[in-house]
Amino acid sequence: MLNPAAAARRALPAVDRLLKLRPVEELAVRYGRTLVTATVREVLDSHRRRLADDAAAQFDEAAFVAECASSVEKRMRPSLRAVCNLSGTVLHTNLGRAVMPESAARAVAEAMTRPVNLEFDLDGGSRGERDSHVEGWLKRLTGAEAAVVVNNNAAAVYLALNTLALRREVLVSRGELIEIGGAFRMPDIMARAGCKLKEVGTTNRTHLKDYAEAITAQTAAIMKVHTSNYAIQGFTSAVAESDLASLAHEHGLPFIVDLGSGMLVDLEDYGLPHEPTPREAFAHGADLVTFSGDKLLGGPQAGLLVGTKALVGRIRKNPMKRALRVDKMTLAALEAVLRLYSDPDRLAQELPGLRSLTRKHAEIEAQANRVLPHVVAALAGSAEAQVISCSSQIGSGSLPVDSLPSAGIAVSGGGKRRGSFAERIATAFRSLPVPVIGHIKDGAFVMDLRCLDDETGFIEQLRQLKI
Ligand SMILES: *Cc1c(COP(=O)(O)O)cnc(C)c1O
């Protein structure tokens, strides 16, 4: 005699019969027979186990079909998806840093779907150089003699040091031994690049004589790192770039500057705090400057090395350049973004990152007031919402001490359990079709609207909010 659970298990329909159910067939038309058959088997297995564990359980066909559909849809949903960045950090590394202009997207699509002259000289019909597509722009925009492009700025720093200082020493101020986002520590990169870091001065104060006394026959370069993600304040002293450059040159050494973000135009012209530019570094005597493509510059992830012909030429010949080179999509996007810099007057409209950074408080506040009633309606009395003043961060290590006056919407409630309630609200907003990323502050879920581009889309999907 079968016990009741075993009987129920035996009563499970066959895979073939389940595949013929109308909604399952529709799934197969949409997602393919292979995936749907595999899913039906998996879900059937889980039902079998459930029936074995629970004598009272029954096979429920509707529940089975719904589970298959949600399992297939979950698997086929892209993992990398668009989100709505209301985090208050404009260049958020975890949210993909710079948002690129349509022109860059079009250039990338073209490079992806058609053969391109990546390493082909159309004039001579011979082999070309992939970096040539952006080198002219980089030279004109920075004043450098030559340029090389690699995967990111960490790779740029690595390649510069590995080329110019292998088995020798590089002088860096102790106050500049930075860590960026946990994974990029200057001392670690130096070690892997095969050079020896010689720390100079103290954390808060470094003087020119500290550098001068540290120079030996083993010294290969002097390096300045723009401490872009923190600021040492108070009793501080750093040596001017021009003094460092003179000292390096007196000893026949290259002076390298890692700018981190490295904006190509003067941000003060756009009403923003100053961020050092490669052009300024060269004016101070730098021989080689490295910076990121996807921070303030607003392009794709890339590391840009610009400098003298001689140094860049040596870097280009390093076999590791091949391992760190960028692909055609990156070059296509980078060229499209650099082209926008030819017209600085329109840059703040054309470049999404700069557009967000230059939005005025009053404009963002007006938007918050427009959006607020929709948020209130979506919350349906389960929480309170109000317009607040807040401050946005530029992010990605740029201009860390400067914040931009902004406006947003704070959602709160839950009485004594404010904290966990705010987490719940955050989860609900993250579960929207275009996940909304805010942040929690003082027990409230805060959405900084500085980066809200698609106001209509944001409002429309609020109807699906489930608290
Ligand atoms: C961001 C940064 C880096 C690393 O750049 P990635 O492009 O993220 O690799 C290196 N140095 C400084 C000073 C930075 O700010």
Side-chain angles (χ1 to χ4, degrees):
M1 270 271 295
L2 285 170
N3 63 35
R9 207 156 61 227
R10 287 187 73 185
L12 278 175
V15 171
D16 281 350
R17 195 179 82 66
L18 291 167
L19 284 171
K20 291 205 182 84
L21 294 173
R22 183 74 177 277
V24 178
E25 280 200 319
E26 279 167 9
L27 273 183
V29 168
R30 207 145 150 222
Y31 296 105
R33 195 147 293 277
T34 308
L35 175 62
V36 172
T37 307
T39 306
V40 164
R41 289 217 162 89
E42 274 166 32
V43 176
L44 199 56
D45 275 348
S46 77
H47 278 243
R48 188 171 290 126
R49 280 193 297 276
R50 226 174 292 157
L51 293 181
D53 291 348
D54 179 0
Q58 293 283 324
F59 180 76
D60 177 342
E61 194 174 279
F64 175 85
V65 167
E67 207 176 319
C68 288
S70 92
S71 168
V72 167
E73 272 150 22
K74 204 165 150 204
R75 176 152 330 159
M76 293 308 284
R77 192 176 64 192
S79 168
L80 188 65
R81 290 194 286 156
V83 301
C84 186
N85 175 15
L86 304 188
S87 67
T89 301
V90 179
L91 297 167
H92 198 305
T93 297
N94 305 142
L95 303 181
R97 290 193 184 163
V99 172
M100 273 174 273
E102 281 298 324
S103 59
R106 280 196 300 274
V108 173
E110 176 116 337
M112 286 173 84
T113 53
R114 306 179 69 177
V116 287
N117 59 334
L118 179 63
E119 291 182 350
F120 187 81
D121 175 8
L122 289 174
D123 293 330
S126 54
R127 194 177 190 287
E129 166 62 49
R130 67 175 59 207
D131 291 347
S132 69
H133 302 289
V134 293
E135 192 180 16
W137 282 111
L138 288 169
K139 280 159 63 175
R140 285 189 293 277
L141 292 166
T142 65
E145 291 171 10
V148 161
V149 187
V150 288
N151 186 49
N152 53 21
N153 190 33
V157 170
Y158 172 91
L159 196 61
L161 295 174
N162 181 264
T163 308
L164 307 177
L166 189 62
R167 287 187 282 279
R168 294 175 67 203
E169 290 176 355
V170 176
L171 310 188
V172 184
S173 162
R174 205 166 253 130
E176 297 169 4
L177 293 174
I178 54 166
E179 170 179 311
I180 293 154
F184 181 90
R185 281 186 172 185
M186 195 50 89
D188 297 343
I189 293 275
M190 287 201 162
R192 290 295 171 125
C195 63
K196 217 172 139 222
L197 165 70
K198 195 150 176 189
E199 297 175 31
V200 173
T202 61
T203 304
N204 59 333
R205 289 173 76 86
T206 304
H207 307 280
L208 188 62
K209 74 169 182 2
D210 296 328
Y211 285 95
E213 284 165 6
I215 295 178
T216 67
Q218 276 310 301
T219 310
I222 297 181
M223 183 158 174
K224 168 126 187 136
V225 182
H226 182 52
T227 51
S228 49
N229 63 350
Y230 74 105
I232 297 176
Q233 286 169 326
F235 185 60
T236 65
S237 169
V239 182
E241 273 184 12
S242 49
D243 292 338
L244 278 183
S246 306
L247 180 68
H249 298 157
E250 272 166 36
H251 291 82
L253 300 170
F255 176 46
I256 306 171
V257 178
D258 171 14
L259 273 187
S261 204
M263 192 41 166
L264 296 172
V265 290
D266 188 348
L267 283 184
E268 278 173 295
D269 293 346
Y270 301 87
L272 291 168
H274 185 74
E275 175 76 13
T277 65
R279 198 176 277 284
E280 283 165 8
F282 290 130
H284 297 154
D287 302 295
L288 189 71
V289 177
T290 74
F291 54 105
S292 291
D294 58 348
K295 291 185 180 172
L296 281 170
L297 194 141
Q301 179 189 303
L304 309 170
L305 289 129
V306 295
T308 64
K309 250 198 177 100
L311 294 183
V312 171
R314 283 171 65 192
I315 286 165
R316 197 174 277 139
K317 286 203 202 83
N318 186 329
M320 282 305 289
K321 162 67 167 67
R322 170 62 195 251
L324 303 172
R325 73 182 185 183
V326 293
D327 72 349
K328 58 187 177 180
M329 293 178 273
T330 299
L331 285 168
L334 186 57
E335 186 190 0
V337 168
L338 290 175
R339 195 183 295 121
L340 295 178
Y341 280 86
S342 62
D343 186 2
D345 296 340
R346 268 188 292 190
L347 203 56
Q349 290 126 59
E350 302 286 334
L351 210 54
L354 195 57
R355 190 164 61 221
S356 294
L357 288 172
T358 51
R359 284 185 76 195
K360 297 274 177 292
H361 176 261
E363 183 196 330
I364 308 170
E365 193 175 45
Q367 185 179 40
N369 283 314
R370 283 196 304 276
V371 169
L372 180 68
H374 301 279
V375 173
V376 169
L379 293 169
S382 60
E384 291 153 32
Q386 66 189 89
V387 170
I388 54 156
S389 283
C390 53
S391 55
S392 322
Q393 298 264 316
I394 294 170
S396 275
S398 311
L399 312 162
V401 274
D402 298 295
S403 58
L404 310 168
S406 186
I409 294 175
V411 181
S412 60
K416 283 207 186 86
R417 313 199 51 190
R418 255 173 92 79
S420 61
F421 188 75
E423 296 284 353
R424 232 176 81 199
I425 304 277
T427 306
F429 275 90
R430 269 201 320 275
S431 306
L432 286 167
V434 179
V436 173
I437 316 293
H439 71 275
I440 290 173
K441 192 169 182 233
D442 303 333
F445 173 67
V446 174
M447 294 176 279
D448 178 341
L449 301 198
R450 174 173 294 280
C451 295
L452 182 59
D453 261 345
D454 182 12
E455 186 178 320
T456 318
F458 175 78
I459 290 171
E460 259 167 30
Q461 70 163 358
L462 281 176
R463 269 184 270 131
Q464 298 179 55
L465 190 73
K466 291 191 204 80
I467 305 283

